[in-house]
């Protein structure tokens, strides 16, 4: 009986067919078989196939959630890739939808809590401890004589014709604000060289556009669509000071404070706020290329909406400070937010250092002082999910500059108001002296 072959079946069949073994070792379905003397032939593990086709993407024009998500991601990428801040502003303000127009000086009841929610701002009574130190008494006395002369110029020396109805306070307060700012800035330039490089704007236009929260469109061809709630602030201070260097932060960016931001779950129309559709505006009072692109101090005139005598007569005396807080908070948020947007920051690219500005609201007799630190612009639902930052506003209650005027004598002049005005104007960055010199 012939000896039984020990070759594997494919090789044994190839050998009976007359093929040489090296050639026969390559004939098993096109795969090479490796054979040892004492082991059977084995095939290597198959290599996993790699995809050679592009990933599947949802359509841009579909009505699905995936398509909407793709359109949003592509839009965010276009904004990120824009090289200049002006291009970013154009993209961010391009789409026009209905938006709530926020007026800083409002007649709404309890508007300060609503404005805190819209801007994610925590209010802290008082002023920051990092403000400049008060001036010596001798230097403050010199400035007091200048301020007294400016007050007498409007209240005693000038004889004006009777004003129009409800314009009496405006007729004397507006010139007083302009004269006070010019006198104090000119007198304090030697103590704060940054004021020598500043720009003083008269009645500038200030605007800021942002989104906060979401809502379902109730009617129209976009019914049941989920849209962000859009806001627009249009402000017009009487004058403002812009500087080429950013003011020093009042506290570190990631520092937390115990004050909370109120959360309001009602529609802004309940405040009430009204919706309009027009060009979205982000503007600090100058163009993007202006070197004085940082805010220093704004001066606002308290209009008839904040007239104390009228509020007391209407039994709304408790709303006097509420409306002043709302006005200072909204004005400074719009100004600092626009400054951050001019530097290329937006909701998906949050600020890396705080933006700081100051404001004074006055009717010619009462003065209120506010400081604002913008810590975040991530106010949309998408950006605010894990955002622990919040903006901070410091403010004082209104203080009277003087009690009365009898002839050429000012009775009850309040040095604390003058001291705060001077400290606001002396505020500057820590490195201002070295950079200016």
């Amino acid at each position: 009986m012939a000896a039984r072959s020990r070759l594997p079946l494919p090789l044994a069949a190839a050998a009976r067919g007359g093929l040489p073994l090296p050639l026969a070792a390559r004939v098993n379905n096109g795969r090479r078989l490796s054979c040892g003397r004492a082991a059977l032939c084995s095939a290597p593990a198959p290599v996993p196939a790699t995809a050679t086709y592009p990933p599947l993407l949802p359509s841009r024009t579909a009505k699905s959630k995936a398509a909407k998500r793709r359109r949003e991601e592509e839009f965010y990428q276009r904004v990120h890739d824009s090289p200049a801040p002006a291009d970013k502003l154009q993209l961010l303000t391009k789409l026009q939808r209905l938006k709530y127009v926020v007026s800083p000086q409002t007649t709404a009841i309890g508007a300060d809590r609503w404005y805190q929610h819209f801007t994610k701002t925590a209010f802290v009574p008082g002023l920051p401890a990092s403000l400049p130190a008060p001036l010596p008494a001798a230097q403050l006395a010199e400035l007091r004589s200048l301020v007294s002369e400016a007050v007498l110029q409007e209240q005693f020396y000038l004889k004006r014709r009777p004003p129009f109805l409800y314009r009496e306070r405006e007729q004397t307060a507006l010139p007083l604000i302009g004269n006070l700012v010019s006198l104090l800035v000119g007198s304090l330039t030697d103590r704060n060289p940054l004021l020598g490089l500043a720009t003083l704007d008269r009645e500038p236009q200030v605007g800021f556009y942002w989104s906060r929260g979401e809502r379902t469109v109730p009617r129209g061809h976009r019914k049941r669509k989920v849209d962000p709630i859009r806001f627009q602030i249009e402000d017009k201070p009487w004058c403002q000071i812009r500087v080429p260097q950013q003011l020093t932060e009042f506290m570190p960016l990631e520092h937390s404070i115990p004050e909370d931001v109120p959360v309001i779950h009602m529609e802004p129309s309940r405040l009430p706020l009204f919706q309009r559709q027009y060009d979205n505006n982000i503007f600090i009072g100058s163009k993007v290329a202006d070197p004085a692109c940082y805010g220093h101090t704004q001066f606002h005139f308290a209009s008839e909406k904040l007239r104390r005598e009228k509020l007391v007569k209407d039994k709304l005396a408790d709303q006097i400070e509420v409306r002043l807080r709302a006005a200072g908070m909204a004005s400074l948020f719009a100004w600092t937010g626009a400054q951050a947007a001019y530097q290329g920051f937006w909701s998906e690219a949050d600020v890396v250092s705080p933006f700081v500005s100051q404001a004074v609201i006055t009717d010619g007799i009462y003065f209120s002082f506010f400081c604002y630190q913008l810590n975040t612009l991530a106010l949309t639902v998408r950006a605010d999910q894990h955002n622990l930052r919040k903006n901070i506003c410091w403010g004082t209650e209104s203080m009277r500059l003087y009690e009365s005027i009898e002839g050429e004598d000012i009775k009850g002049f309040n040095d604390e108001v003058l001291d705060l005005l001077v400290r606001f104007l002396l505020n500057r960055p820590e490195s201002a002296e070295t950079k200016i010199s």
Side-chain angles (χ1 to χ4, degrees):
M1 187 174 179
R4 189 173 181 178
S5 174
R6 294 187 178 181
L7 292 175
L9 292 178
L11 296 183
R16 287 195 299 270
L19 293 176
L21 283 180
L23 182 60
R26 298 194 296 268
V27 202
N28 188 14
N29 294 330
R31 291 182 297 178
R32 184 186 180 101
L33 299 175
S34 56
C35 301
R37 291 184 178 180
L40 297 176
C41 297
S42 61
V47 179
T50 57
T52 58
Y53 49 85
L56 296 177
L57 295 177
S59 170
R60 290 189 182 91
T61 58
K63 296 183 179 180
S64 62
K65 294 182 179 180
K68 179 181 178 181
R69 188 162 51 248
R70 180 189 175 185
R71 290 192 295 268
E72 290 178 352
E73 295 292 343
E74 291 181 350
F75 171 75
Y76 294 151
Q77 192 60 43
R78 283 201 306 273
V79 179
H80 279 298
D81 295 340
S82 299
D87 299 332
K88 294 181 186 290
L89 292 178
Q90 184 179 8
L91 288 172
L92 293 174
T93 59
K94 182 178 180 181
L95 181 64
Q96 291 190 22
R97 299 286 189 208
L98 284 173
K99 56 188 177 182
Y100 289 101
V101 181
V102 180
S103 175
Q105 296 190 18
T106 178
T107 58
I109 303 297
D112 58 339
R113 291 179 54 84
W114 288 79
Y115 284 12
Q116 285 182 257
H117 170 69
F118 297 156
T119 61
K120 197 181 180 181
T121 301
F123 182 79
V124 181
L127 293 176
S130 58
L131 283 176
L135 286 180
Q139 298 179 6
L140 198 63
E142 298 177 3
L143 297 175
R144 177 180 178 178
S145 63
L146 292 176
V147 173
S148 300
E149 195 69 21
V151 172
L152 291 175
Q153 174 74 14
E154 303 302 328
Q155 299 286 353
F156 178 74
Y157 296 132
L158 289 181
K159 303 300 181 183
R160 293 188 174 90
R161 64 182 182 182
F164 294 103
L165 188 63
Y166 302 122
R167 301 293 292 272
E168 179 182 359
R169 188 67 58 83
E170 181 179 340
Q171 188 182 48
T172 57
L174 291 181
L176 175 62
I177 297 172
N179 293 337
L180 276 181
V181 174
S182 300
L183 285 173
L184 292 177
V185 168
S187 303
L188 297 174
T189 303
D190 56 342
R191 298 180 179 87
N192 186 3
L194 186 62
L195 295 177
L197 304 176
T199 301
L200 180 62
D201 301 326
R202 293 298 181 99
E203 296 187 82
Q205 297 287 343
V206 177
F208 188 62
Y209 169 76
W210 80 102
S211 300
R212 174 81 164 152
E214 287 182 342
R215 73 183 187 101
T216 303
V217 180
R219 64 187 65 85
H221 71 283
R222 302 186 67 251
K223 184 177 180 180
R224 291 188 293 273
K225 297 286 185 182
V226 177
D227 265 7
I229 303 177
R230 300 173 172 90
F231 297 91
Q232 174 77 59
I233 290 180
E234 298 287 355
D235 194 21
K236 192 175 183 180
W238 177 242
C239 61
Q240 66 180 17
I241 302 172
R242 292 182 290 108
V243 291
Q245 297 180 28
Q246 187 175 353
L247 294 180
T248 306
E249 60 188 17
F250 293 125
M251 62 174 51
L253 181 66
E254 303 296 341
H255 184 74
S256 62
I257 58 175
E259 287 77 9
D260 294 327
V261 178
V263 178
I264 297 177
H265 299 284
M266 290 184 289
E267 283 281 338
S269 58
R270 300 294 183 90
L271 180 57
L273 287 182
F274 300 97
Q275 288 182 310
R276 292 179 59 193
Q277 181 172 330
Y278 60 95
D279 289 341
N280 304 319
N281 182 29
I282 298 178
F283 194 63
I284 68 169
S286 67
K287 295 184 178 180
V288 179
D290 195 317
C293 56
Y294 297 104
H296 191 280
T297 306
Q298 282 185 337
F299 295 87
H300 295 264
F301 170 67
S303 65
E304 289 298 324
K305 297 178 181 178
L306 305 177
R307 191 176 182 89
R308 293 172 173 271
E309 297 82 1
K310 187 176 184 301
L311 291 175
V312 172
K313 181 180 178 181
D314 295 340
K315 299 181 181 180
L316 293 174
D318 59 327
Q319 295 298 308
I320 295 175
E321 301 299 333
V322 169
R323 295 185 181 184
L324 288 170
R325 283 197 298 269
M329 197 180 311
S331 298
L332 285 176
F333 171 76
W335 203 27
T336 52
Q339 295 169 38
Y342 272 35
Q343 303 303 317
F345 299 107
W346 55 297
S347 61
E348 297 295 327
D350 208 357
V351 298
V352 296
S353 62
F355 285 79
V356 171
S357 293
Q358 306 164 139
V360 179
I361 303 178
T362 178
D363 59 359
I365 300 178
Y366 289 91
F367 286 74
S368 301
F369 299 87
F370 298 93
C371 297
Y372 197 90
Q373 178 168 311
L374 183 82
N375 292 328
T376 181
L377 280 179
L379 303 181
T380 61
V381 173
R382 168 192 169 107
D384 198 28
Q385 291 180 355
H386 306 289
N387 182 22
L388 300 180
R389 301 180 188 174
K390 52 188 172 184
N391 304 316
I392 308 173
C393 179
W394 293 265
T396 66
E397 293 189 354
S398 53
M399 296 176 284
R400 195 179 180 105
L401 179 61
Y402 58 88
E403 294 297 332
S404 62
I405 298 178
E406 298 179 1
E408 299 185 19
D409 187 19
I410 299 179
K411 300 293 185 180
F413 191 91
N414 190 352
D415 287 334
E416 185 180 359
V417 175
L418 176 59
D419 177 63
L420 288 177
L421 281 172
V422 172
R423 293 172 65 187
F424 266 37
L425 293 177
L426 288 180
N427 193 9
R428 60 181 175 181
E430 296 178 353
S431 59
E433 290 186 358
T434 58
K435 291 184 178 180
I436 292 173
S437 60

